[in-house]
Amino acid sequence: MGKFIVFEGTDGSGKSTQIASLAKKLTDNGEKVYITAEPTVSLSGGILRDALAGITQKSPSELAVLFAWDRINHNVNKYDGIEKLLSEGYTVLCDRYYYSSLAYQGKDAGYEWVKSLNIGCKDIRKPDLCFFLDVSPKVSMERINSGRQTKEIYEKEDQLTQIRQTFYKVIDDLNDNIVIINAEEDMISVSNKIYEEYQKAFKNTVL
């Protein structure tokens, strides 16, 4: 089986950049790597992207259920699902997972209920490792404002402050292998720290 690694953080934390960096390091080291993300490119993912962009209106509870639906399909679909890829020996790097549902929708829709939708579902795999890329809400907004022309519904400093606090609640609450990374450092330093932590986590399996 391959390894399932998730990258989490508030908007603007640099997840996409660091996923690409780790993927290159692992590929250069001879590993098969597959990059994926949530929302997915499926029907459920499209509904979610429209809601996050503010094109359609969904309540926090509706979003939580939609994300759980999308996540189940992400795991079990027979074409490029997480389970299939892992069975083929891929290291799967995923941009967001159930930690985001707990942090984003859990603060409004009921933390324990959102937790039950995800942690209690046998078709939603627990990651082998999660990197939480931590940046302050101020830095998040600076990066969002400098890098994007449009904003999603959660991309406001007060919202990101609450979401970051809830992320830390998630980290304390779950018995998952979660590594907190200071993502306010320069990109290369962050990338090197992530790879160092990856090697520690999989020291008996790294090629």
Side-chain angles (χ1 to χ4, degrees), residues 110-196:
Y111 179 86
E112 291 300 328
W113 176 69
V114 177
K115 181 179 175 181
S116 70
L117 283 176
N118 290 274
I119 309 303
C121 179
K122 68 180 181 62
D123 287 326
I124 295 179
R125 169 180 280 269
K126 179 178 176 178
D128 297 304
L129 177 64
C130 173
F131 290 110
F132 175 65
L133 306 188
D134 189 30
V135 296
S136 70
K138 180 181 178 182
V139 170
S140 289
M141 289 307 304
E142 288 173 352
R143 291 179 178 179
I144 291 166
N145 289 332
S146 65
R148 304 180 195 172
Q149 294 182 340
T150 60
K151 294 186 180 69
E152 293 188 343
I153 59 174
Y154 292 109
E155 292 176 346
K156 301 172 185 175
E157 189 164 344
D158 60 336
Q159 288 260 45
L160 294 176
T161 298
Q162 295 177 47
I163 291 163
R164 185 183 184 218
Q165 291 170 347
T166 310
F167 261 124
Y168 271 94
K169 175 181 177 178
V170 174
I171 292 167
D172 289 339
D173 181 42
L174 298 184
N175 186 31
D176 284 15
N177 187 9
I178 303 172
V179 177
I180 300 171
I181 301 289
N182 179 3
E184 293 188 10
E185 297 181 1
D186 65 273
M187 185 183 73
I188 293 174
S189 296
V190 174
S191 175
N192 289 339
K193 181 64 175 176
I194 288 170
Y195 189 55
E196 177 186 329

Side-chain angles (χ1 to χ4, degrees), residues 1-5 26-27 29-35 81-93 125 128 198 205 207:
M1 291 290 287
K3 298 178 283 291
F4 180 34
I5 302 167
L26 299 183
T27 301
N29 198 38
E31 294 196 43
K32 297 195 302 181
V33 177
Y34 190 95
I35 297 174
I82 293 167
E83 293 295 337
K84 178 179 184 294
L85 292 164
L86 293 175
S87 71
E88 294 173 351
Y90 282 92
T91 293
V92 177
L93 306 182
R125 169 180 280 269
D128 297 304
Y198 173 89
T205 58
L207 296 174

Side-chain angles (χ1 to χ4, degrees), residues 20-52:
S21 177
L22 180 59
K24 185 178 187 310
K25 286 182 169 70
L26 299 183
T27 301
D28 289 347
N29 198 38
E31 294 196 43
K32 297 195 302 181
V33 177
Y34 190 95
I35 297 174
T36 187
E38 294 186 354
T40 67
V41 296
S42 67
L43 171 63
S44 51
I47 295 171
L48 280 163
R49 284 191 295 276
D50 284 349
L52 293 172

Side-chain angles (χ1 to χ4, degrees), residues 4-28:
F4 180 34
I5 302 167
V6 169
F7 282 71
E8 286 284 7
T10 55
D11 302 84
S13 58
K15 296 185 306 303
S16 298
T17 298
Q18 294 304 330
I19 287 172
S21 177
L22 180 59
K24 185 178 187 310
K25 286 182 169 70
L26 299 183
T27 301
D28 289 347

